[in-house]
Amino acid sequence: MLAFLRQHFRELAFLTVEHLLLVVVAMVLAVITGVMVGILISRREWLARPILYLAGIIMTVPSVAMLGLLLPVVGIGKVPAVIALVLYGQLPILRNTYTGIKGVEPAVLESARGMGMTPLQVLRRIELPLAYPVILTGVRVAVVMNIGIAAIAAFIGAGGLGRYIYWGIARTNDQMVIAGVIFVAILAVVVDWVLGRVERRAASG
């Protein structure tokens, strides 16, 4: 196995970068949409339960089924993979954004308003900075989860490390499957460690 990894390291490294880029693109879109909707439902409480419930339902849809539903609409390749990853990333980001903003002390908000801050200024200068550590936790969960889900997207031509797993299954080559799984796991652990350090730094001030 070690000899196989050494022999195919360059190819695996390229697929790792491709895999990571796919997740990064999806997560940028997921964070933008998730934080915006999270802010909205923190302001419109009646929307919170149905939107969080919908995001929870999306999370329960098997990834293969999700990709299968997207294929007739947007075809094969990276586009359906990105859309699926954005959808799967919504629940932790939405929920943590909502929880983080609602967790800001009312007295702090009253003081800010008493100083003449507009609602937008309160959001930008008070609520989002205080909610940032909680939001970052949601982002961390979504990223690590999507690294694993992105491997399945190789079955619809999205590339990444899942391609090695797909090739291994198609050729009945256990070494290829194991190599793909190992690199996916390493990528998830490294990204989780990096985001964990960022999260702890944010929580400490």
Side-chain angles (χ1 to χ4, degrees):
M1 191 65 221
L2 290 175
F4 180 88
L5 290 173
R6 284 196 298 268
Q7 184 180 352
H8 297 87
F9 182 79
R10 284 189 177 182
E11 188 176 26
L12 284 163
F14 172 80
L15 292 175
T16 301
V17 172
E18 186 179 39
H19 195 103
L20 184 60
L21 287 175
L22 181 67
V23 174
V24 167
V25 170
M27 287 310 305
V28 167
L29 296 174
V31 169
I32 292 171
T33 54
V35 171
M36 288 179 64
V37 177
I39 293 169
L40 173 65
I41 64 177
S42 72
R43 298 292 190 267
R44 303 286 186 270
E45 193 69 35
W46 60 275
L47 285 173
R49 181 170 293 180
I51 288 179
L52 290 171
Y53 184 70
L54 177 61
I57 291 174
I58 290 172
M59 282 281 290
T60 65
V61 177
S63 51
V64 174
M66 177 71 76
L67 293 169
L69 291 171
L70 290 170
L71 282 181
V73 182
V74 292
I76 64 173
K78 289 182 170 55
V79 173
V82 168
I83 293 172
L85 294 179
V86 169
L87 291 173
Y88 281 121
Q90 289 306 298
L91 181 61
I93 298 172
L94 264 172
R95 184 172 55 199
N96 282 42
T97 301
Y98 172 77
T99 302
I101 291 176
K102 297 299 287 186
V104 177
E105 289 290 337
V108 175
L109 299 177
E110 284 299 320
S111 298
R113 295 186 188 108
M115 293 170 60
M117 286 188 180
T118 64
L120 183 59
Q121 288 174 327
V122 172
L123 175 67
R124 288 175 54 195
R125 299 181 184 179
I126 306 295
E127 291 176 302
L128 286 180
L130 290 176
Y132 173 69
V134 181
I135 296 172
L136 187 57
T137 301
V139 173
R140 179 184 177 186
V141 171
V143 170
V144 174
M145 177 184 65
N146 275 348
I147 287 174
I149 295 173
I152 299 172
F155 287 83
I156 59 166
L161 288 165
R163 188 182 299 178
Y164 238 58
I165 299 171
Y166 173 75
W167 289 340
I169 293 172
R171 302 172 188 177
T172 322
N173 187 326
D174 292 342
Q175 287 183 322
M176 293 188 78
V177 175
I178 294 170
V181 170
I182 288 172
F183 271 71
V184 169
I186 291 172
L187 181 60
V189 169
V190 170
V191 170
D192 184 56
W193 179 79
V194 171
L195 291 177
R197 287 182 62 87
V198 175
E199 183 184 334
R200 285 191 293 273
R201 185 171 297 180
S204 63

